[in-house]
Amino acid sequence: MATEGDAFADALVGQLPRLVHLATQLVRDPDQAEDCAQETIVGAWRRRDQLRDPAALGGWLRRSLVNRIIDRSRAHHQELDIDAVEADWRDDRYSVAPERVLERAELRDDLEDALARLPVIYRIPVVLHDVLGWTAVEIATAMTAGLPATKQRLRRGRMMLVSALAEDDGRRQASLAQPLRCWRARRHVSAYLDGELDAPTRTAVEAHLETCPTCPPLYASLVGVRATLGGLRDPDTVVEEAIAARIRGGLEAGRGGARP
């Protein structure tokens, strides 16, 4: 006989493909998107007594996912400075070459690289509004922000995106000059750490790490942090096997079918 907990677990897993799709749009990295979606589902399971209206589950999960992504992204070290960007835009002499901006915007790698350089509180409104078609009111609700603040973040995010596509700062150019782009190398670095890469990919990652000005500190930090984690396992934080199995099944089903 199905219990109330079973029904809630089924409802959570049913939302998982939508959360993965939304997270992928916001972070542009499938692995990180799945991590964020799974963490959101697990967090919702642990806080299931806080949801008063089952019909509000989708919105509750989306708000949780957006806040989780914001928390994860606060320390991004290559982000643009909004004060500097606004100072440029306030200067009557500041302009850009629109043909150069549009040329780079039409290249997916360059556009994603520019989006990644926006601080997350500005990137998320731009993606939700201009990519996914959310209204400002929906974004304000998901980000638990007021409507005027949300509209300001959208305005600033669009300005920063144009500036990011227009500029050619030295560190960014050094990164883009590498044989393997930074964001691709960073997707592989965990598997590299575990010795799971095929030979060509391993060689490309190693070549990137030898010359990139920004990725080696990240790799060194991954190595150091992994070395300290073994003694921190807390049995109380382990997710029940039943919900863990459902999450795994939901992810497998999502990969096998069309994304919503």
Side-chain angles (χ1 to χ4, degrees), residues 141-208:
T141 300
M143 297 185 73
T144 59
L147 185 58
T150 298
K151 290 182 176 180
Q152 181 188 60
R153 290 173 180 178
L154 179 60
R155 172 182 63 79
R156 286 177 163 179
R158 287 167 169 166
M159 288 165 44
M160 296 176 84
L161 182 58
V162 168
S163 293
L165 289 166
E167 73 174 21
D168 293 309
D169 72 85
R171 181 170 58 181
R172 180 180 182 279
Q173 287 305 305
S175 294
L176 296 183
Q178 309 309 312
L180 190 67
R181 296 288 295 274
C182 285
W183 70 273
R184 293 189 184 278
R186 292 169 189 177
R187 280 190 59 193
H188 291 305
V189 75
S190 183
Y192 176 73
L193 189 62
D194 294 335
E196 298 174 350
L197 291 181
D198 58 70
T201 307
R202 183 178 67 250
T203 299
V205 169
E206 289 173 345
H208 180 86

Side-chain angles (χ1 to χ4, degrees), residues 5-232:
D6 291 333
F8 187 72
D10 288 340
L12 286 178
V13 173
Q15 292 285 333
L16 186 57
R18 296 183 182 88
L19 290 180
V20 172
H21 177 71
L22 175 58
T24 302
Q25 295 294 321
L26 297 178
V27 302
R28 319 307 299 182
D29 182 324
D31 296 329
Q32 187 180 353
E34 285 196 359
D35 286 347
C36 289
Q38 288 184 72
E39 290 169 6
T40 299
I41 292 293
V42 170
W45 173 256
R46 290 174 177 158
R47 296 181 290 108
R48 56 192 180 274
D49 59 328
Q50 298 178 17
L51 181 64
R52 304 304 179 195
D53 179 7
L57 177 62
W60 187 55
L61 291 173
R62 287 193 295 273
R63 288 193 297 274
S64 178
L65 175 69
V66 168
N67 288 326
R68 188 174 299 277
I69 290 172
I70 290 172
D71 289 341
R72 271 183 167 229
S73 304
R74 288 192 186 280
H76 197 293
H77 73 284
Q78 288 185 323
E79 290 176 351
L80 293 174
D81 180 350
I82 181 56
D83 292 331
V85 171
E86 282 211 323
D88 283 340
W89 281 71
R90 288 172 181 163
D91 186 342
D92 290 346
R93 296 166 297 178
Y94 176 74
S95 189
V96 299
E99 66 280 359
R100 174 62 173 152
V101 170
L102 294 177
E103 176 187 351
R104 289 174 64 178
E106 290 172 359
L107 298 173
R108 188 180 183 92
D109 281 355
D110 277 19
L111 182 58
E112 290 187 351
D113 181 78
L115 279 168
R117 300 188 64 221
L118 272 61
V120 66
I121 64 168
Y122 302 117
R123 183 172 73 247
I124 285 179
V126 170
V127 173
L128 291 179
H129 192 282
D130 293 347
V131 178
L132 300 181
W134 288 31
T135 67
V137 171
E138 290 171 329
I139 298 168
T141 300
M143 297 185 73
T144 59
L147 185 58
T150 298
K151 290 182 176 180
Q152 181 188 60
R153 290 173 180 178
L154 179 60
R155 172 182 63 79
R156 286 177 163 179
R158 287 167 169 166
M159 288 165 44
M160 296 176 84
L161 182 58
V162 168
S163 293
L165 289 166
E167 73 174 21
D168 293 309
D169 72 85
R171 181 170 58 181
R172 180 180 182 279
Q173 287 305 305
S175 294
L176 296 183
Q178 309 309 312
L180 190 67
R181 296 288 295 274
C182 285
W183 70 273
R184 293 189 184 278
R186 292 169 189 177
R187 280 190 59 193
H188 291 305
V189 75
S190 183
Y192 176 73
L193 189 62
D194 294 335
E196 298 174 350
L197 291 181
D198 58 70
T201 307
R202 183 178 67 250
T203 299
V205 169
E206 289 173 345
H208 180 86
L209 290 172
E210 286 177 1
T211 55
C212 178
T214 59
C215 287
L218 297 175
Y219 175 70
S221 297
L222 285 173
V223 172
V225 169
R226 188 182 71 161
T228 67
L229 289 176
L232 297 182

